[in-house]
């Protein structure tokens, strides 16, 4: 087993490195006893960055008879976030598998990257609850998008 903490840390990304950005207003309830945004709230931020891509009909990612489930989530916490304010969540497609999508995401507070995440979702058949291949046209469009989710068109 390797010690991942020994790996060199890459430079944090900037919002402009992500083709899809979502802004969320912080809520007082997001705070924990240390008076910063609780680490579990980062998961909510990441979801808020992905769901518009998955659900917006312009992107054609929501497939009749299918749904997405989160299979893996890796988060690196880089900085505290304090109330009040907003965060910006950047999202890009990192990998397109047979039945899975992996997103690179980042949470920005002001001019700082407060967190990085890799999120893998698997498309399931809504009835059987088994993995279902992504439609070939969707997979090809996502692979050609270079991290962006192109509009259907």
């Amino acid at each position: 087993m390797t010690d991942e903490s020994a790996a060199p840390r890459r430079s944090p990304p900037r919002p402009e490195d992500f083709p899809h950005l979502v802004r969320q207003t912080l809520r007082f309830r997001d705070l924990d006893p240390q008076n910063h945004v609780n680490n579990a709230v980062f998961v909510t931020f990441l979801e808020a960055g992905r769901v518009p891509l998955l659900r917006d009909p312009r992107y054609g990612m929501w497939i009749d008879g299918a749904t997405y489930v989160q299979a893996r989530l890796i988060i690196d916490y880089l900085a505290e976030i304090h109330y009040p304010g907003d965060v910006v969540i950047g999202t890009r497609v990192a990998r397109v598998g047979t039945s899975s999508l992996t997103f690179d995401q980042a949470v920005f507070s002001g001019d700082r990257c407060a967190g990085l995440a890799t999120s893998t979702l698997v498309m399931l058949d809504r009835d059987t609850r088994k993995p279902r291949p992504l439609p070939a046209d969707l997979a090809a469009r996502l692979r050609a998008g270079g991290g962006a989710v192109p509009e259907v068109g």
Side-chain angles (χ1 to χ4, degrees):
M1 185 171 211
T2 63
D3 180 7
E4 288 186 16
S5 65
R9 183 168 276 181
R10 59 188 167 131
S11 297
R14 302 173 318 245
E16 54 270 20
D17 295 331
F18 293 86
H20 302 284
L21 299 171
V22 172
R23 181 175 298 279
Q24 293 280 290
T25 299
L26 298 175
R27 302 163 301 187
F28 181 76
R29 68 178 222 110
D30 294 336
L31 303 180
D32 63 16
Q34 285 81 23
N35 206 32
H36 62 230
V37 171
N38 186 278
N39 63 310
V41 176
F42 277 68
V43 176
T44 302
F45 294 153
L46 298 168
E47 179 183 67
R50 287 187 315 269
V51 168
L53 293 176
L54 296 171
R55 292 287 195 144
D56 191 322
R58 291 178 298 165
Y59 302 119
M61 296 178 69
W62 201 252
I63 308 300
D64 286 337
T67 190
Y68 293 94
V69 295
Q70 185 138 26
R72 186 169 195 208
L73 179 62
I74 301 168
I75 303 174
D76 291 321
Y77 299 97
L78 305 178
E80 293 179 312
I81 300 174
H82 295 280
Y83 177 89
D86 294 337
V87 294
V88 172
I89 303 99
T91 303
R92 62 185 169 216
V93 175
R95 182 183 168 278
V96 179
T98 302
S99 60
S100 66
L101 297 171
T102 300
F103 295 97
D104 282 338
Q105 294 187 275
V107 177
F108 300 95
S109 176
D111 60 355
R112 296 174 322 190
C113 180
L116 295 171
T118 302
S119 178
T120 301
L121 303 182
V122 174
M123 180 181 275
L124 295 184
D125 182 280
R126 195 176 289 281
D127 294 329
T128 67
R129 308 304 288 176
K130 302 239 188 257
R132 173 178 168 174
L134 297 167
D137 60 330
L138 173 62
R141 195 166 44 82
L142 293 174
R143 286 184 181 111
V149 178
E151 291 188 20
V152 176

